Amino acid sequence: MRKSRVQRMVLATCLGSFLLVIFYFQSSLNPAAEDRILGTSWHGKSGRNPLQALYDSDQFEQSSVQATHQQRRDLLSSVCSRYTRKRRLLTRDDLRHLVVDDVHGLLYCYVPKVACTNWKRVMMVLTGQGKYRDPLEIPANEAHVSSNLRTLSEYSTPEINHRLRNYLKFIFVREPFERLVSAYRNKFTRRYNTAFHKRYGTKIIRRHRQEPSNEALERGDDVRFKEFVYYLLDPRTQVEEPFNEHWERVHSLCHPCIIHYDVVGKYETLAEDANYVLQLVGADASVKFPSSSKTTRTTDDMTAQFFKDISPFYQRRLFNLYKMDYLLFNYSIPSYLRLR
């Protein structure tokens, strides 16, 4: 009987270790000692880390950029307090989108379709120890090779906690439906995305198109936006598997009501906000965030055209699905929606 009880205790301990739970807690060590133990040293030219640079600047008269980011942080905190009744604990799986820069003390939560390719390029330059100098020299496909950048999920629990407390955490967001249409256009209207056509397109057509042709069922390369919306709202979709990261809600990818983000950048002010982050980390003046393409990007007017064929009933359901992203990041209800 006693042996059985001991075995159960050992099993429970193993399971507890496997199901990683991460807490924010105050360390009894001073920062220098903690750095030595955890093998981190990210103090820049001024001897300060980016987090210290950000909050030290708040002690003085704020510039318009600093004031804007303070307002974004305050709004995020307010909305989280209002809508999050029970704060859950982080798991290792929650940290897969947090890219780590141990050189400068940065955590970047990447959100697909919000300039994440260019941000990964910049992070490769920042962490590359001179291997890369110009972000645009890095091919887009290389920026998405997982081994080129470390994510927070790869670290031990003490190392994770240390970085969550001491690194500058930033995120870039975008108008939710504009991001959604951008994901649809990229993954379902480009002929080269055959992997998405096969995995998602064939399923969407099979379930949400009346009398599909055999070719459409086989290829999955002509998914209509309306069918994509039906797929997102189908109760079976998230039961079978989580949303793909390209159309998953930002609050589900980056957990902004659990992780305190110090900088919330926006796609609409991308150049200004990216420059602000690079200034905070003390990046070399030669490191520039790549300018975005103005010819192919999904705009608000383009998004409105895609929603013309979506009925008010489905517009409202889709808005409710992405509502938290609208609230958390202060985006207005699009004027083209017919929600009443």
Side-chain angles (χ1 to χ4, degrees):
M1 182 73 176
R2 180 180 178 82
K3 184 177 181 181
S4 176
R5 181 179 297 175
V6 170
Q7 288 173 337
R8 287 199 300 269
M9 290 174 66
V10 170
L11 178 61
T13 302
C14 293
L15 287 172
S17 301
F18 181 73
L19 297 172
L20 174 71
V21 183
I22 299 153
F23 297 90
Y24 283 102
F25 57 88
Q26 292 297 319
S27 173
S28 59
L29 299 173
N30 64 54
E34 197 169 344
D35 286 347
R36 286 195 301 273
I37 292 171
L38 298 175
T40 58
S41 179
W42 31 253
H43 296 284
K45 298 173 184 175
S46 65
R48 298 187 306 171
N49 65 55
L51 193 62
Q52 182 182 358
L54 171 67
Y55 289 105
D56 279 0
S57 68
D58 287 349
Q59 306 302 314
F60 306 98
E61 185 175 349
Q62 291 183 326
S63 68
S64 60
V65 173
Q66 290 169 333
T68 295
H69 285 278
Q70 181 64 59
Q71 290 166 4
R72 290 176 185 173
R73 289 194 296 270
D74 290 345
L75 175 77
L76 186 57
S77 176
S78 174
V79 174
C80 286
S81 297
R82 182 176 178 183
Y83 289 92
T84 307
R85 288 181 172 82
K86 187 176 182 181
R87 178 171 171 149
R88 72 173 180 82
L89 299 171
L90 288 168
T91 66
R92 193 175 291 279
D93 196 51
D94 294 326
L95 308 175
R96 291 182 299 108
H97 273 247
L98 280 161
V99 176
V100 180
D101 174 4
D102 282 326
V103 179
H104 298 89
L106 274 181
L107 294 177
Y108 161 56
C109 188
Y110 73 89
V111 179
K113 309 313 301 176
V114 192
C116 81
T117 300
N118 281 339
W119 262 119
K120 286 182 177 181
R121 285 167 162 157
V122 170
M123 294 292 282
M124 288 173 68
V125 171
L126 293 176
T127 61
Q129 304 288 348
K131 181 180 179 181
Y132 306 101
R133 296 191 180 275
D134 182 357
L136 284 179
E137 291 179 352
I138 302 172
N141 62 325
E142 189 174 339
H144 295 291
V145 174
S146 59
S147 59
N148 285 333
L149 291 166
R150 293 191 72 183
T151 65
L152 196 57
S153 61
E154 300 172 38
Y155 291 76
S156 70
T157 303
E159 290 171 331
I160 289 170
N161 282 317
H162 173 75
R163 285 159 178 77
L164 285 172
R165 286 193 312 276
N166 296 291
Y167 283 19
L168 182 93
K169 298 168 288 295
F170 75 100
I171 182 176
F172 271 73
V173 299
R174 184 177 185 178
E175 202 285 329
F177 282 171
E178 187 178 299
R179 174 177 169 249
L180 185 66
V181 170
S182 178
Y184 164 76
R185 291 180 63 218
N186 180 255
K187 300 307 176 188
F188 295 111
T189 69
R190 304 287 191 265
R191 292 293 178 185
Y192 57 79
N193 268 323
T194 53
F196 270 81
H197 302 159
K198 287 289 186 180
R199 179 170 179 180
Y200 298 103
T202 53
K203 180 189 292 186
I204 291 171
I205 291 170
R206 184 172 66 253
R207 288 185 174 175
H208 302 291
R209 182 178 300 180
Q210 293 184 351
E211 300 180 0
S213 67
N214 289 333
E215 182 180 7
L217 289 170
E218 172 65 24
R219 297 170 64 92
D221 61 355
D222 66 340
V223 172
R224 299 158 190 159
F225 184 66
K226 183 185 295 186
E227 296 166 340
F228 179 53
V229 169
Y230 294 160
Y231 163 78
L232 295 174
L233 296 173
D234 187 338
R236 294 172 292 182
T237 299
Q238 290 193 76
V239 171
E240 294 172 348
E241 62 179 337
F243 275 168
N244 180 274
E245 63 179 11
H246 291 84
W247 48 84
E248 179 61 280
R249 286 71 51 93
V250 175
H251 73 270
S252 295
L253 287 176
C254 295
H255 314 285
C257 289
I258 308 175
I259 297 171
H260 174 78
Y261 287 96
D262 306 292
V263 176
V264 178
K266 291 199 170 187
Y267 191 76
E268 295 78 13
T269 51
L270 177 59
E272 181 180 59
D273 293 344
N275 186 55
Y276 181 57
V277 172
L278 292 175
Q279 285 180 344
L280 286 172
V281 304
D284 192 280
S286 63
V287 180
K288 304 291 185 184
F289 190 85
S291 58
S292 60
S293 169
K294 299 294 183 182
T295 56
T296 60
R297 63 158 289 193
T298 302
T299 63
D300 183 69
D301 289 341
M302 189 183 297
T303 302
Q305 291 299 312
F306 277 89
F307 274 83
K308 282 177 65 176
D309 295 331
I310 307 300
S311 71
F313 173 76
Y314 284 105
Q315 286 186 10
R316 175 171 287 281
R317 288 187 61 196
L318 193 66
F319 177 77
N320 287 337
L321 186 63
Y322 288 86
K323 184 177 179 179
M324 276 303 295
D325 281 359
Y326 276 96
L327 293 171
L328 289 167
F329 306 114
N330 199 28
Y331 285 105
S332 302
I333 299 175
S335 58
Y336 54 79
L337 291 186
R338 296 162 287 155
L339 300 181
R340 295 184 179 180

